[in-house]
């Protein structure tokens, strides 16, 4: 049976998301920014929390774990490299590991850069990826613990997933990301189309995610550092893509 998902807002601009296996009733929260909205989401869907899958150690992704674990006794799965910074971890995972949620199955993809142990959960059978703060809709996370090279490699791993993979990310930053991306690629038609779509969605009180890998390849400047026009736009024609990525990321930090 295909997975069901439920997306909701947490804190200021975080997303919470649940993935549910209708065959077994198992339900995982991807990250736990805070407990109350997760509880409300579970109640709204009539689902029981069995697992929390943690992408990285930041407080806006882990702040709700202790409460939820106490109330539900759920299993907490976290990246091995960051387990010491995450509360109440039951199981650690690394690149290539498989995590089961009922009959659903996720591959663990290490996507360091934002933090040094950040992971992405890829439910390949359901074509869903939970990318945390690595890949955003038309953006990417700040490179805080890693290097730009590391982040570029991580983004390329995600870019290589099947194009129709639905991508859920940790924050609603889409409009601001689009504004920035248009300073680098003002003539990108896919980006212009996305700008119009996202403006409509936000005005209607809708979410701009999930996005898809195909949409991001076409419009997300951070996945396009190896496109010659992007290199040219930042004055780095012919330079390595990681260097172009680093420049684009630096400009976004100042934007
Ligand atoms: Zn973060
Ligand atoms: Fe975050």
């Amino acid at each position: 049976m295909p997975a069901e998902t439920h997306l909701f807002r947490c804190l200021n601009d975080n997303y919470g998301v649940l993935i549910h296996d209708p065959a077994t009733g198992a339900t995982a929260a991807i990250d736990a920014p805070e407990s109350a909205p997760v509880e409300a989401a579970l109640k709204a869907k009539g689902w029981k929390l069995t697992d929390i899958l943690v992408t990285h150690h930041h407080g806006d992704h882990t702040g709700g774990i202790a409460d939820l674990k106490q109330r539900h006794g759920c299993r907490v799965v976290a990246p091995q490299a960051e387990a010491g910074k995450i509360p109440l971890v039951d199981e650690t995972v690394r690149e290539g590991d498989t995590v089961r949620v009922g009959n659903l199955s996720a591959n663990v993809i290490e996507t360091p850069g934002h933090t040094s142990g950040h992971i992405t959960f890829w439910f390949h059978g359901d074509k869903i990826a939970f990318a945390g703060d690595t890949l955003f809709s038309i953006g990417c996370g700040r490179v805080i613990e890693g290097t730009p090279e590391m982040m570029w490699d991580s983004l390329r791993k995600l870019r290589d997933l099947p194009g129709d993979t639905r991508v859920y990310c940790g924050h609603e930053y889409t409009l601001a990301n689009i504004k920035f991306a248009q300073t680098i690629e003002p003539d990108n038609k896919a980006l212009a189309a996305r700008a119009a779509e996202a403006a409509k969605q936000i005005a209607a009180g809708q979410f701009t995610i999930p996005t898809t890998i195909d949409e991001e390849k076409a419009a997300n400047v951070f996945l396009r550092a190896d496109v010659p026009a992007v290199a040219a736009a930042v004055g780095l024609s012919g330079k390595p893509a990681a260097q172009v990525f680093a420049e684009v990321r630096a400009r976004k930090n100042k934007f």
Side-chain angles (χ1 to χ4, degrees):
M1 288 173 91
E4 294 173 30
T5 57
H6 180 61
L7 182 67
F8 50 96
R9 295 291 292 264
C10 294
L11 301 172
N12 280 332
D13 54 29
N14 279 77
Y15 276 120
V17 58
L18 302 174
I19 184 164
H20 175 75
D21 174 25
T24 63
T27 303
I30 312 304
D31 292 333
E34 54 178 342
S35 60
V38 177
E39 294 290 1
L42 289 164
K43 198 170 168 204
K45 299 302 289 183
W47 295 346
K48 189 188 164 342
L49 190 67
T50 52
D51 306 277
I52 301 174
L53 311 184
V54 184
T55 62
H56 67 294
H57 70 82
H58 285 158
D60 64 314
H61 298 256
T62 58
I65 291 174
D67 259 20
L68 291 167
K69 172 109 181 150
Q70 189 182 20
R71 207 160 309 138
H72 300 275
C74 48
R75 173 183 67 152
V76 177
V77 179
Q80 187 175 74
E82 300 187 355
K85 299 175 179 166
I86 297 167
L88 304 171
V89 173
D90 296 299
E91 216 174 293
T92 64
V93 289
R94 47 177 298 182
E95 178 87 14
D97 284 348
T98 298
V99 180
R100 298 190 70 92
V101 176
N103 291 340
L104 310 176
S105 175
N107 288 356
V108 173
I109 305 173
E110 289 181 352
T111 49
H114 177 67
T115 63
S116 57
H118 191 297
I119 59 176
T120 291
F121 294 95
W122 175 40
F123 287 79
H124 47 92
D126 290 280
K127 298 191 170 180
I128 297 171
F130 296 102
D133 285 358
T134 297
L135 176 63
F136 293 134
S137 167
I138 317 296
C140 74
R142 273 178 193 267
V143 181
I144 298 173
E145 295 176 7
T147 63
E149 289 73 19
M150 214 182 258
M151 190 67 157
W152 170 242
D153 285 346
S154 294
L155 290 171
R156 279 195 309 166
K157 277 177 164 176
L158 298 181
R159 192 177 68 172
D160 286 343
L161 296 178
D164 56 353
T165 304
R166 282 173 291 158
V167 179
Y168 289 85
C169 55
H171 293 268
E172 176 58 63
Y173 291 153
T174 307
L175 287 185
N177 287 340
I178 288 170
K179 256 188 211 155
F180 169 74
Q182 286 182 321
T183 67
I184 311 279
E185 292 196 282
D187 300 325
N188 181 323
K189 289 198 174 65
L191 179 56
R194 190 61 179 284
E197 186 197 14
K200 232 190 257 172
Q201 288 169 319
I202 295 287
Q206 297 165 353
F207 303 143
T208 64
I209 72 162
T211 177
T212 65
I213 294 295
D214 272 343
E215 279 184 84
E216 294 306 308
K217 277 188 200 170
N220 185 335
V221 67
F222 294 99
L223 293 187
R224 296 167 54 77
D226 51 1
V227 172
V230 172
V234 297
L236 292 173
S237 285
K239 299 292 185 199
Q243 191 182 335
V244 175
F245 170 79
E247 174 62 21
V248 174
R249 187 58 252 184
R251 291 188 184 200
K252 173 68 165 67
N253 291 350
K254 287 182 244 146
F255 184 68

